[in-house]
Amino acid sequence: MSVFSRGMLDRYRHTASYFPDEQAANNTDPVLQSVPPARRTTLIAQPAGDNLLRFDIRMQGQDETVFFDL
């Protein structure tokens, strides 16, 4: 996915989101596997109740979302 920021019309950063219940597929995904294990959790959506998922994008700081150069 592309992330835009207020006041910026060009794509700012690129990231991806993975489903938490797709562990078998996540374990073999080449993009996810290229990310250091400690950082992979920033790319996996979290259950949010009522069959919903939550994917927070953190632009900087602790637990900053992994972004990719394309």
Side-chain angles (χ1 to χ4, degrees):
M1 71 183 72
S2 295
V3 178
F4 292 82
S5 183
R6 181 176 37 178
M8 297 179 70
L9 300 177
D10 294 325
R11 287 183 193 99
Y12 181 60
R13 295 189 174 192
H14 307 275
T15 191
S17 177
Y18 292 85
F19 295 103
D21 59 349
E22 294 289 334
Q23 195 61 39
N26 292 348
N27 287 339
T28 60
D29 184 89
V31 174
L32 187 58
Q33 295 305 307
S34 72
V35 175
R39 304 269 318 209
R40 289 179 193 158
T41 59
T42 71
L43 298 176
I44 300 173
Q46 298 300 311
D50 295 327
N51 294 318
L52 299 174
L53 293 173
R54 179 181 179 137
F55 182 67
D56 293 329
I57 297 176
R58 293 179 176 87
M59 301 298 286
Q60 60 186 8
Q62 185 176 358
D63 296 326
E64 176 183 4
T65 301
V66 171
F67 296 101
F68 303 101
D69 292 326
L70 299 181

